[in-house]
PDB file of all heavy atoms in Angstrom:
ATOM      1  N   VAL A 108     123.923  51.411  87.186  1.00 98.00           N
ATOM      2  CA  VAL A 108     123.814  51.280  85.738  1.00 98.00           C
ATOM      3  C   VAL A 108     124.702  52.298  85.043  1.00 98.00           C
ATOM      4  O   VAL A 108     125.071  53.322  85.621  1.00 98.00           O
ATOM      5  CB  VAL A 108     122.352  51.432  85.261  1.00 98.00           C
ATOM      6  CG1 VAL A 108     121.455  50.402  85.941  1.00 98.00           C
ATOM      7  CG2 VAL A 108     121.833  52.849  85.513  1.00 98.00           C
ATOM      8  N   SER A 109     125.042  52.005  83.821  1.00 98.00           N
ATOM      9  CA  SER A 109     125.864  52.946  83.063  1.00 98.00           C
ATOM     10  C   SER A 109     125.085  54.240  82.844  1.00 98.00           C
ATOM     11  O   SER A 109     123.939  54.208  82.380  1.00 98.00           O
ATOM     12  CB  SER A 109     126.269  52.351  81.717  1.00 98.00           C
ATOM     13  OG  SER A 109     127.029  53.295  80.981  1.00 98.00           O
ATOM     14  N   PRO A 110     125.681  55.390  83.147  1.00 98.00           N
ATOM     15  CA  PRO A 110     124.998  56.664  82.942  1.00 98.00           C
ATOM     16  C   PRO A 110     125.016  57.129  81.486  1.00 98.00           C
ATOM     17  O   PRO A 110     124.329  58.084  81.127  1.00 98.00           O
ATOM     18  CB  PRO A 110     125.779  57.629  83.835  1.00 98.00           C
ATOM     19  CG  PRO A 110     127.164  57.053  83.877  1.00 98.00           C
ATOM     20  CD  PRO A 110     126.989  55.568  83.820  1.00 98.00           C
ATOM     21  N   VAL A 111     125.820  56.452  80.657  1.00 97.00           N
ATOM     22  CA  VAL A 111     125.991  56.869  79.268  1.00 97.00           C
ATOM     23  C   VAL A 111     126.166  55.654  78.362  1.00 97.00           C
ATOM     24  O   VAL A 111     126.455  54.554  78.811  1.00 97.00           O
ATOM     25  CB  VAL A 111     127.234  57.792  79.099  1.00 97.00           C
ATOM     26  CG1 VAL A 111     127.032  59.126  79.790  1.00 97.00           C
ATOM     27  CG2 VAL A 111     128.495  57.086  79.607  1.00 97.00           C
ATOM     28  N   ASP A 112     126.001  55.900  77.061  1.00 97.00           N
ATOM     29  CA  ASP A 112     126.436  54.945  76.050  1.00 97.00           C
ATOM     30  C   ASP A 112     127.914  55.220  75.800  1.00 97.00           C
ATOM     31  O   ASP A 112     128.316  56.395  75.679  1.00 97.00           O
ATOM     32  CB  ASP A 112     125.686  55.158  74.733  1.00 97.00           C
ATOM     33  CG  ASP A 112     124.276  54.585  74.746  1.00 97.00           C
ATOM     34  OD1 ASP A 112     123.809  54.155  75.820  1.00 97.00           O
ATOM     35  OD2 ASP A 112     123.634  54.588  73.676  1.00 97.00           O
ATOM     36  N   GLY A 113     128.722  54.196  75.705  1.00 94.00           N
ATOM     37  CA  GLY A 113     130.137  54.436  75.433  1.00 94.00           C
ATOM     38  C   GLY A 113     130.981  53.197  75.627  1.00 94.00           C
ATOM     39  O   GLY A 113     130.493  52.068  75.520  1.00 94.00           O
ATOM     40  N   ARG A 114     132.222  53.430  75.927  1.00 94.00           N
ATOM     41  CA  ARG A 114     133.193  52.348  76.120  1.00 94.00           C
ATOM     42  C   ARG A 114     133.884  52.541  77.462  1.00 94.00           C
ATOM     43  O   ARG A 114     134.288  53.655  77.808  1.00 94.00           O
ATOM     44  CB  ARG A 114     134.227  52.371  74.992  1.00 94.00           C
ATOM     45  CG  ARG A 114     135.236  51.233  75.054  1.00 94.00           C
ATOM     46  CD  ARG A 114     136.168  51.217  73.851  1.00 94.00           C
ATOM     47  NE  ARG A 114     137.114  52.322  73.865  1.00 94.00           N
ATOM     48  CZ  ARG A 114     137.098  53.327  73.010  1.00 94.00           C
ATOM     49  NH1 ARG A 114     136.160  53.401  72.077  1.00 94.00           N
ATOM     50  NH2 ARG A 114     137.993  54.289  73.070  1.00 94.00           N
ATOM     51  N   CYS A 115     134.020  51.451  78.196  1.00 95.00           N
ATOM     52  CA  CYS A 115     134.743  51.518  79.461  1.00 95.00           C
ATOM     53  C   CYS A 115     136.230  51.518  79.149  1.00 95.00           C
ATOM     54  O   CYS A 115     136.796  50.503  78.735  1.00 95.00           O
ATOM     55  CB  CYS A 115     134.374  50.338  80.350  1.00 95.00           C
ATOM     56  SG  CYS A 115     135.176  50.402  81.964  1.00 95.00           S
ATOM     57  N   GLU A 116     136.848  52.676  79.325  1.00 89.00           N
ATOM     58  CA  GLU A 116     138.266  52.839  78.995  1.00 89.00           C
ATOM     59  C   GLU A 116     139.184  52.238  80.053  1.00 89.00           C
ATOM     60  O   GLU A 116     140.250  51.714  79.746  1.00 89.00           O
ATOM     61  CB  GLU A 116     138.607  54.328  78.850  1.00 89.00           C
ATOM     62  CG  GLU A 116     138.195  54.940  77.531  1.00 89.00           C
ATOM     63  CD  GLU A 116     139.106  54.518  76.399  1.00 89.00           C
ATOM     64  OE1 GLU A 116     140.283  54.898  76.390  1.00 89.00           O
ATOM     65  OE2 GLU A 116     138.618  53.808  75.509  1.00 89.00           O
ATOM     66  N   GLU A 117     138.780  52.344  81.306  1.00 87.00           N
ATOM     67  CA  GLU A 117     139.679  51.944  82.390  1.00 87.00           C
ATOM     68  C   GLU A 117     138.888  51.770  83.682  1.00 87.00           C
ATOM     69  O   GLU A 117     137.935  52.493  83.953  1.00 87.00           O
ATOM     70  CB  GLU A 117     140.737  53.032  82.594  1.00 87.00           C
ATOM     71  CG  GLU A 117     141.877  52.658  83.500  1.00 87.00           C
ATOM     72  CD  GLU A 117     143.091  52.135  82.748  1.00 87.00           C
ATOM     73  OE1 GLU A 117     143.281  52.532  81.593  1.00 87.00           O
ATOM     74  OE2 GLU A 117     143.823  51.330  83.344  1.00 87.00           O
ATOM     75  N   THR A 118     139.278  50.782  84.463  1.00 91.00           N
ATOM     76  CA  THR A 118     138.764  50.636  85.820  1.00 91.00           C
ATOM     77  C   THR A 118     139.947  50.301  86.725  1.00 91.00           C
ATOM     78  O   THR A 118     140.968  49.803  86.248  1.00 91.00           O
ATOM     79  CB  THR A 118     137.721  49.508  85.936  1.00 91.00           C
ATOM     80  OG1 THR A 118     138.361  48.242  85.682  1.00 91.00           O
ATOM     81  CG2 THR A 118     136.574  49.694  84.961  1.00 91.00           C
ATOM     82  N   GLY A 119     139.827  50.558  87.994  1.00 88.00           N
ATOM     83  CA  GLY A 119     140.927  50.214  88.886  1.00 88.00           C
ATOM     84  C   GLY A 119     140.702  50.710  90.295  1.00 88.00           C
ATOM     85  O   GLY A 119     139.715  51.386  90.595  1.00 88.00           O
ATOM     86  N   THR A 120     141.623  50.354  91.141  1.00 88.00           N
ATOM     87  CA  THR A 120     141.575  50.757  92.542  1.00 88.00           C
ATOM     88  C   THR A 120     142.359  52.041  92.747  1.00 88.00           C
ATOM     89  O   THR A 120     143.464  52.192  92.232  1.00 88.00           O
ATOM     90  CB  THR A 120     142.161  49.647  93.440  1.00 88.00           C
ATOM     91  OG1 THR A 120     141.424  48.446  93.230  1.00 88.00           O
ATOM     92  CG2 THR A 120     142.092  50.033  94.911  1.00 88.00           C
ATOM     93  N   ILE A 121     141.805  52.955  93.493  1.00 87.00           N
ATOM     94  CA  ILE A 121     142.475  54.204  93.812  1.00 87.00           C
ATOM     95  C   ILE A 121     143.519  53.900  94.879  1.00 87.00           C
ATOM     96  O   ILE A 121     143.200  53.361  95.933  1.00 87.00           O
ATOM     97  CB  ILE A 121     141.463  55.255  94.322  1.00 87.00           C
ATOM     98  CG1 ILE A 121     140.405  55.511  93.250  1.00 87.00           C
ATOM     99  CG2 ILE A 121     142.175  56.554  94.693  1.00 87.00           C
ATOM    100  CD1 ILE A 121     139.229  56.328  93.730  1.00 87.00           C
ATOM    101  N   ASN A 122     144.778  54.198  94.572  1.00 72.00           N
ATOM    102  CA  ASN A 122     145.858  53.795  95.470  1.00 72.00           C
ATOM    103  C   ASN A 122     146.024  54.756  96.652  1.00 72.00           C
ATOM    104  O   ASN A 122     145.247  55.694  96.825  1.00 72.00           O
ATOM    105  CB  ASN A 122     147.175  53.638  94.702  1.00 72.00           C
ATOM    106  CG  ASN A 122     147.660  54.955  94.102  1.00 72.00           C
ATOM    107  OD1 ASN A 122     147.369  56.032  94.597  1.00 72.00           O
ATOM    108  ND2 ASN A 122     148.409  54.870  93.024  1.00 72.00           N
ATOM    109  N   GLU A 123     147.040  54.513  97.439  1.00 63.00           N
ATOM    110  CA  GLU A 123     147.239  55.298  98.653  1.00 63.00           C
ATOM    111  C   GLU A 123     147.506  56.768  98.368  1.00 63.00           C
ATOM    112  O   GLU A 123     147.273  57.623  99.214  1.00 63.00           O
ATOM    113  CB  GLU A 123     148.399  54.708  99.472  1.00 63.00           C
ATOM    114  CG  GLU A 123     148.089  53.333 100.044  1.00 63.00           C
ATOM    115  CD  GLU A 123     149.246  52.776 100.859  1.00 63.00           C
ATOM    116  OE1 GLU A 123     150.302  53.447 100.913  1.00 63.00           O
ATOM    117  OE2 GLU A 123     149.090  51.686 101.440  1.00 63.00           O
ATOM    118  N   GLU A 124     148.016  57.040  97.158  1.00 70.00           N
ATOM    119  CA  GLU A 124     148.248  58.436  96.777  1.00 70.00           C
ATOM    120  C   GLU A 124     147.008  59.042  96.130  1.00 70.00           C
ATOM    121  O   GLU A 124     147.066  60.139  95.562  1.00 70.00           O
ATOM    122  CB  GLU A 124     149.431  58.540  95.809  1.00 70.00           C
ATOM    123  CG  GLU A 124     150.807  58.360  96.450  1.00 70.00           C
ATOM    124  CD  GLU A 124     151.078  56.910  96.808  1.00 70.00           C
ATOM    125  OE1 GLU A 124     150.683  56.027  96.025  1.00 70.00           O
ATOM    126  OE2 GLU A 124     151.651  56.658  97.884  1.00 70.00           O
ATOM    127  N   THR A 125     145.889  58.330  96.214  1.00 59.00           N
ATOM    128  CA  THR A 125     144.619  58.757  95.608  1.00 59.00           C
ATOM    129  C   THR A 125     144.813  59.217  94.169  1.00 59.00           C
ATOM    130  O   THR A 125     144.488  60.332  93.799  1.00 59.00           O
ATOM    131  CB  THR A 125     143.933  59.858  96.436  1.00 59.00           C
ATOM    132  OG1 THR A 125     144.788  61.001  96.541  1.00 59.00           O
ATOM    133  CG2 THR A 125     143.560  59.362  97.796  1.00 59.00           C
ATOM    134  N   SER A 126     145.403  58.328  93.365  1.00 65.00           N
ATOM    135  CA  SER A 126     145.604  58.621  91.954  1.00 65.00           C
ATOM    136  C   SER A 126     145.239  57.402  91.129  1.00 65.00           C
ATOM    137  O   SER A 126     145.082  56.304  91.658  1.00 65.00           O
ATOM    138  CB  SER A 126     147.054  59.016  91.679  1.00 65.00           C
ATOM    139  OG  SER A 126     147.914  57.936  91.972  1.00 65.00           O
ATOM    140  N   PHE A 127     145.083  57.595  89.827  1.00 62.00           N
ATOM    141  CA  PHE A 127     144.833  56.467  88.954  1.00 62.00           C
ATOM    142  C   PHE A 127     145.509  56.727  87.618  1.00 62.00           C
ATOM    143  O   PHE A 127     145.900  57.853  87.302  1.00 62.00           O
ATOM    144  CB  PHE A 127     143.333  56.206  88.759  1.00 62.00           C
ATOM    145  CG  PHE A 127     142.551  57.414  88.317  1.00 62.00           C
ATOM    146  CD1 PHE A 127     142.481  57.777  86.978  1.00 62.00           C
ATOM    147  CD2 PHE A 127     141.871  58.183  89.253  1.00 62.00           C
ATOM    148  CE1 PHE A 127     141.740  58.885  86.574  1.00 62.00           C
ATOM    149  CE2 PHE A 127     141.141  59.290  88.853  1.00 62.00           C
ATOM    150  CZ  PHE A 127     141.071  59.638  87.522  1.00 62.00           C
ATOM    151  N   VAL A 128     145.661  55.681  86.826  1.00 55.00           N
ATOM    152  CA  VAL A 128     146.383  55.766  85.560  1.00 55.00           C
ATOM    153  C   VAL A 128     145.416  55.679  84.392  1.00 55.00           C
ATOM    154  O   VAL A 128     144.564  54.795  84.335  1.00 55.00           O
ATOM    155  CB  VAL A 128     147.434  54.647  85.442  1.00 55.00           C
ATOM    156  CG1 VAL A 128     148.153  54.711  84.097  1.00 55.00           C
ATOM    157  CG2 VAL A 128     148.440  54.753  86.581  1.00 55.00           C
ATOM    158  N   VAL A 129     145.538  56.615  83.451  1.00 49.00           N
ATOM    159  CA  VAL A 129     144.738  56.632  82.232  1.00 49.00           C
ATOM    160  C   VAL A 129     145.689  56.766  81.052  1.00 49.00           C
ATOM    161  O   VAL A 129     146.432  57.756  80.956  1.00 49.00           O
ATOM    162  CB  VAL A 129     143.735  57.816  82.219  1.00 49.00           C
ATOM    163  CG1 VAL A 129     142.922  57.802  80.935  1.00 49.00           C
ATOM    164  CG2 VAL A 129     142.826  57.746  83.428  1.00 49.00           C
ATOM    165  N   LYS A 130     145.692  55.768  80.182  1.00 43.00           N
ATOM    166  CA  LYS A 130     146.544  55.790  78.992  1.00 43.00           C
ATOM    167  C   LYS A 130     148.006  56.080  79.334  1.00 43.00           C
ATOM    168  O   LYS A 130     148.688  56.866  78.678  1.00 43.00           O
ATOM    169  CB  LYS A 130     146.024  56.830  77.984  1.00 43.00           C
ATOM    170  CG  LYS A 130     144.627  56.537  77.469  1.00 43.00           C
ATOM    171  CD  LYS A 130     144.592  55.262  76.657  1.00 43.00           C
ATOM    172  CE  LYS A 130     143.208  54.994  76.100  1.00 43.00           C
ATOM    173  NZ  LYS A 130     143.155  53.747  75.331  1.00 43.00           N
ATOM    174  N   GLY A 131     148.481  55.461  80.402  1.00 49.00           N
ATOM    175  CA  GLY A 131     149.883  55.592  80.760  1.00 49.00           C
ATOM    176  C   GLY A 131     150.225  56.824  81.565  1.00 49.00           C
ATOM    177  O   GLY A 131     151.377  57.005  81.951  1.00 49.00           O
ATOM    178  N   GLN A 132     149.260  57.683  81.833  1.00 54.00           N
ATOM    179  CA  GLN A 132     149.510  58.880  82.629  1.00 54.00           C
ATOM    180  C   GLN A 132     148.824  58.765  83.983  1.00 54.00           C
ATOM    181  O   GLN A 132     147.761  58.160  84.093  1.00 54.00           O
ATOM    182  CB  GLN A 132     149.004  60.137  81.909  1.00 54.00           C
ATOM    183  CG  GLN A 132     149.795  60.456  80.638  1.00 54.00           C
ATOM    184  CD  GLN A 132     149.486  61.858  80.138  1.00 54.00           C
ATOM    185  OE1 GLN A 132     149.263  62.769  80.912  1.00 54.00           O
ATOM    186  NE2 GLN A 132     149.496  62.022  78.836  1.00 54.00           N
ATOM    187  N   THR A 133     149.437  59.355  84.988  1.00 63.00           N
ATOM    188  CA  THR A 133     148.878  59.313  86.330  1.00 63.00           C
ATOM    189  C   THR A 133     148.133  60.609  86.640  1.00 63.00           C
ATOM    190  O   THR A 133     148.639  61.700  86.392  1.00 63.00           O
ATOM    191  CB  THR A 133     149.987  59.110  87.378  1.00 63.00           C
ATOM    192  OG1 THR A 133     150.660  57.874  87.101  1.00 63.00           O
ATOM    193  CG2 THR A 133     149.408  59.064  88.786  1.00 63.00           C
ATOM    194  N   TYR A 134     146.933  60.472  87.167  1.00 69.00           N
ATOM    195  CA  TYR A 134     146.106  61.621  87.511  1.00 69.00           C
ATOM    196  C   TYR A 134     145.781  61.575  88.999  1.00 69.00           C
ATOM    197  O   TYR A 134     145.293  60.564  89.494  1.00 69.00           O
ATOM    198  CB  TYR A 134     144.804  61.607  86.697  1.00 69.00           C
ATOM    199  CG  TYR A 134     145.064  61.663  85.218  1.00 69.00           C
ATOM    200  CD1 TYR A 134     145.241  60.481  84.498  1.00 69.00           C
ATOM    201  CD2 TYR A 134     145.189  62.876  84.552  1.00 69.00           C
ATOM    202  CE1 TYR A 134     145.518  60.521  83.145  1.00 69.00           C
ATOM    203  CE2 TYR A 134     145.453  62.916  83.207  1.00 69.00           C
ATOM    204  CZ  TYR A 134     145.619  61.744  82.500  1.00 69.00           C
ATOM    205  OH  TYR A 134     145.894  61.770  81.166  1.00 69.00           O
ATOM    206  N   LYS A 135     146.055  62.627  89.678  1.00 81.00           N
ATOM    207  CA  LYS A 135     145.744  62.722  91.094  1.00 81.00           C
ATOM    208  C   LYS A 135     144.250  63.002  91.283  1.00 81.00           C
ATOM    209  O   LYS A 135     143.692  63.885  90.624  1.00 81.00           O
ATOM    210  CB  LYS A 135     146.551  63.841  91.752  1.00 81.00           C
ATOM    211  CG  LYS A 135     148.057  63.626  91.740  1.00 81.00           C
ATOM    212  CD  LYS A 135     148.459  62.500  92.673  1.00 81.00           C
ATOM    213  CE  LYS A 135     149.976  62.384  92.750  1.00 81.00           C
ATOM    214  NZ  LYS A 135     150.393  61.286  93.644  1.00 81.00           N
ATOM    215  N   ILE A 136     143.638  62.271  92.176  1.00 86.00           N
ATOM    216  CA  ILE A 136     142.229  62.498  92.463  1.00 86.00           C
ATOM    217  C   ILE A 136     142.023  63.901  93.018  1.00 86.00           C
ATOM    218  O   ILE A 136     141.028  64.560  92.752  1.00 86.00           O
ATOM    219  CB  ILE A 136     141.697  61.445  93.453  1.00 86.00           C
ATOM    220  CG1 ILE A 136     141.854  60.044  92.872  1.00 86.00           C
ATOM    221  CG2 ILE A 136     140.238  61.708  93.793  1.00 86.00           C
ATOM    222  CD1 ILE A 136     141.066  59.815  91.623  1.00 86.00           C
ATOM    223  N   GLY A 137     143.005  64.379  93.784  1.00 85.00           N
ATOM    224  CA  GLY A 137     142.910  65.722  94.341  1.00 85.00           C
ATOM    225  C   GLY A 137     142.801  66.784  93.263  1.00 85.00           C
ATOM    226  O   GLY A 137     142.093  67.778  93.414  1.00 85.00           O
ATOM    227  N   GLU A 138     143.538  66.579  92.150  1.00 82.00           N
ATOM    228  CA  GLU A 138     143.453  67.506  91.028  1.00 82.00           C
ATOM    229  C   GLU A 138     142.092  67.417  90.354  1.00 82.00           C
ATOM    230  O   GLU A 138     141.510  68.427  89.962  1.00 82.00           O
ATOM    231  CB  GLU A 138     144.554  67.194  90.009  1.00 82.00           C
ATOM    232  CG  GLU A 138     145.964  67.454  90.498  1.00 82.00           C
ATOM    233  CD  GLU A 138     147.013  66.980  89.520  1.00 82.00           C
ATOM    234  OE1 GLU A 138     146.716  66.091  88.689  1.00 82.00           O
ATOM    235  OE2 GLU A 138     148.131  67.497  89.584  1.00 82.00           O
ATOM    236  N   MET A 139     141.607  66.193  90.208  1.00 84.00           N
ATOM    237  CA  MET A 139     140.326  66.000  89.546  1.00 84.00           C
ATOM    238  C   MET A 139     139.192  66.657  90.318  1.00 84.00           C
ATOM    239  O   MET A 139     138.347  67.350  89.758  1.00 84.00           O
ATOM    240  CB  MET A 139     140.061  64.499  89.402  1.00 84.00           C
ATOM    241  CG  MET A 139     138.760  64.160  88.704  1.00 84.00           C
ATOM    242  SD  MET A 139     138.730  64.657  86.986  1.00 84.00           S
ATOM    243  CE  MET A 139     139.949  63.532  86.321  1.00 84.00           C
ATOM    244  N   LEU A 140     139.190  66.454  91.634  1.00 88.00           N
ATOM    245  CA  LEU A 140     138.128  66.995  92.477  1.00 88.00           C
ATOM    246  C   LEU A 140     138.442  68.400  92.965  1.00 88.00           C
ATOM    247  O   LEU A 140     137.574  69.075  93.521  1.00 88.00           O
ATOM    248  CB  LEU A 140     137.892  66.082  93.682  1.00 88.00           C
ATOM    249  CG  LEU A 140     137.501  64.632  93.381  1.00 88.00           C
ATOM    250  CD1 LEU A 140     137.310  63.861  94.682  1.00 88.00           C
ATOM    251  CD2 LEU A 140     136.236  64.570  92.537  1.00 88.00           C
ATOM    252  N   GLN A 141     139.686  68.830  92.773  1.00 85.00           N
ATOM    253  CA  GLN A 141     140.186  70.117  93.252  1.00 85.00           C
ATOM    254  C   GLN A 141     139.962  70.256  94.760  1.00 85.00           C
ATOM    255  O   GLN A 141     139.632  71.332  95.268  1.00 85.00           O
ATOM    256  CB  GLN A 141     139.512  71.278  92.500  1.00 85.00           C
ATOM    257  CG  GLN A 141     140.381  72.534  92.417  1.00 85.00           C
ATOM    258  CD  GLN A 141     139.911  73.496  91.352  1.00 85.00           C
ATOM    259  OE1 GLN A 141     139.840  73.168  90.170  1.00 85.00           O
ATOM    260  NE2 GLN A 141     139.578  74.701  91.763  1.00 85.00           N
ATOM    261  N   SER A 142     140.154  69.127  95.458  1.00 87.00           N
ATOM    262  CA  SER A 142     139.999  69.119  96.908  1.00 87.00           C
ATOM    263  C   SER A 142     140.733  67.907  97.465  1.00 87.00           C
ATOM    264  O   SER A 142     140.310  66.766  97.239  1.00 87.00           O
ATOM    265  CB  SER A 142     138.522  69.050  97.309  1.00 87.00           C
ATOM    266  OG  SER A 142     138.391  68.784  98.687  1.00 87.00           O
ATOM    267  N   LYS A 143     141.835  68.125  98.182  1.00 84.00           N
ATOM    268  CA  LYS A 143     142.570  67.020  98.781  1.00 84.00           C
ATOM    269  C   LYS A 143     141.741  66.329  99.857  1.00 84.00           C
ATOM    270  O   LYS A 143     141.826  65.120 100.048  1.00 84.00           O
ATOM    271  CB  LYS A 143     143.885  67.527  99.368  1.00 84.00           C
ATOM    272  CG  LYS A 143     144.907  67.963  98.331  1.00 84.00           C
ATOM    273  CD  LYS A 143     146.222  68.364  98.979  1.00 84.00           C
ATOM    274  CE  LYS A 143     147.255  68.762  97.928  1.00 84.00           C
ATOM    275  NZ  LYS A 143     148.540  69.159  98.563  1.00 84.00           N
ATOM    276  N   GLU A 144     140.941  67.119 100.561  1.00 88.00           N
ATOM    277  CA  GLU A 144     140.118  66.558 101.631  1.00 88.00           C
ATOM    278  C   GLU A 144     139.092  65.572 101.080  1.00 88.00           C
ATOM    279  O   GLU A 144     138.949  64.450 101.578  1.00 88.00           O
ATOM    280  CB  GLU A 144     139.409  67.684 102.385  1.00 88.00           C
ATOM    281  CG  GLU A 144     138.560  67.196 103.543  1.00 88.00           C
ATOM    282  CD  GLU A 144     137.875  68.328 104.281  1.00 88.00           C
ATOM    283  OE1 GLU A 144     138.128  69.506 103.941  1.00 88.00           O
ATOM    284  OE2 GLU A 144     137.091  68.041 105.198  1.00 88.00           O
TER     285      GLU A 144
END
């Protein structure tokens, strides 16, 4: 279930580089989690 009230901005598959795109910018999952492992 949705954990919040809001708007779904983006959904997608995490690619081989473990990154995703938000508003035209690419974000590395490793940066988000601060752990490449």
Side-chain angles (χ1 to χ4, degrees):
V108 303
S109 178
V111 293
D112 282 8
R114 183 175 71 248
C115 183
E116 281 285 293
E117 191 95 28
T118 66
T120 302
I121 301 170
N122 64 27
E123 293 180 357
E124 286 74 38
T125 60
S126 63
F127 53 84
V128 178
V129 180
K130 298 295 182 181
Q132 293 193 35
T133 300
Y134 300 89
K135 296 290 185 180
I136 300 297
E138 293 173 337
M139 181 66 68
L140 301 180
Q141 208 163 301
S142 169
K143 290 184 178 180
E144 182 180 356

